[in-house]
Amino acid sequence: MATTAVKKTKTTETATESVAASVTEPVTSESAKTVEVKKGKKTYAPTDGIPCKSITNGGLYMPGLKSNILYTWIDAGDVIEVEYQDLQAAIRSNNGYVMNPFFVIEDEELVAQFPQLKKIYNTLYSVGDLEDVITELSPGDMKATILSLPKGAQDSIKHLASKMVSDGRLDSVRKIKVLDEIFDTEMSIMTGLFN
């Protein structure tokens, strides 16, 4: 009888060891999977500053809808932090500053949380692209391209074109006349071209 008891103990120990080994591995891999899922979505406090870059030539001023802070960009390319609560309110109310857009949110995780913003940002032009529309295209193609752009990009082109005419980088009479026609401006006066 003593021999039988010893055999049972050895068998039980072996079975326990293999069960313990197989249970330990899945628990470790499940824990790692849970951590990865939690990393996916970032949360923001209402007063967290989110970097936003102006794409508008000249000064840009936006009042915060929640905080009543006046956000100020001096020129295109300036980056300032806008509180999360103000951005969220502007996005949800389809505010023109965000939806036209006059500035872009530089936090990709935040943009990903709002599909309508992601769609707008996928169609945006950079300042260099907008300058190429003015300098590289023929007057007819330039007009068609400008008219197909969203309102915010059209405003950016108008300000950029005015700056280019005043500093002499744009001197094509035909292009300036087309721009004056599109935007109902008189940029040709800035060059001394009256008709």
Side-chain angles (χ1 to χ4, degrees):
M1 280 196 188
T3 317
T4 308
V6 172
K7 285 184 181 176
K8 281 185 180 178
T9 306
K10 285 184 179 177
T11 308
T12 306
E13 287 174 18
T14 308
T16 307
E17 288 173 9
S18 64
V19 169
S22 65
V23 170
T24 305
E25 289 179 28
V27 171
T28 306
S29 63
E30 285 179 25
S31 299
K33 287 180 185 175
T34 306
V35 171
E36 289 175 16
V37 172
K38 288 182 181 177
K39 280 185 176 180
K41 188 173 180 182
K42 185 177 178 181
T43 57
Y44 301 90
T47 58
D48 283 352
I50 309 297
C52 297
K53 180 160 109 175
S54 173
I55 57 171
T56 304
N57 283 317
L60 176 63
Y61 308 93
M62 180 187 83
L65 296 175
K66 292 273 189 170
S67 68
N68 291 323
I69 296 171
L70 181 63
Y71 299 102
T72 306
W73 293 265
I74 304 302
D75 203 356
D78 287 351
V79 178
I80 65 160
E81 289 191 351
V82 177
E83 287 188 1
Y84 173 73
Q85 64 183 345
D86 290 327
L87 284 176
Q88 186 179 34
I91 294 166
R92 290 189 174 157
S93 66
N94 287 321
N95 187 298
Y97 288 99
V98 178
M99 301 314 242
N100 276 341
F102 294 115
F103 64 87
V104 291
I105 300 168
E106 300 242 299
D107 186 328
E108 291 180 20
E109 292 180 43
L110 177 64
V111 172
Q113 292 178 13
F114 296 95
Q116 69 271 35
L117 265 187
K118 193 154 181 77
K119 183 178 177 183
I120 291 169
Y121 286 9
N122 286 339
T123 61
L124 274 182
Y125 285 84
S126 70
V127 174
D129 292 337
L130 295 178
E131 192 169 316
D132 287 347
V133 167
I134 297 169
T135 59
E136 302 296 324
L137 299 177
S138 69
D141 290 341
M142 179 184 73
K143 181 177 182 177
T145 302
I146 291 172
L147 294 175
S148 71
L149 293 173
K151 175 86 171 98
Q154 287 181 2
D155 288 344
S156 292
I157 280 195
K158 179 168 62 174
H159 294 290
L160 181 62
S162 175
K163 195 174 191 178
M164 291 174 70
V165 169
S166 69
D167 67 16
R169 288 184 294 150
L170 179 61
D171 58 2
S172 167
V173 175
R174 290 178 55 209
K175 287 185 179 183
I176 293 171
K177 285 186 177 184
V178 167
L179 291 166
D180 281 342
E181 177 187 322
I182 294 170
F183 297 120
D184 194 28
T185 57
E186 295 180 353
M187 286 186 260
S188 57
I189 291 176
M190 293 167 44
T191 64
L193 308 170
F194 290 31
N195 278 332

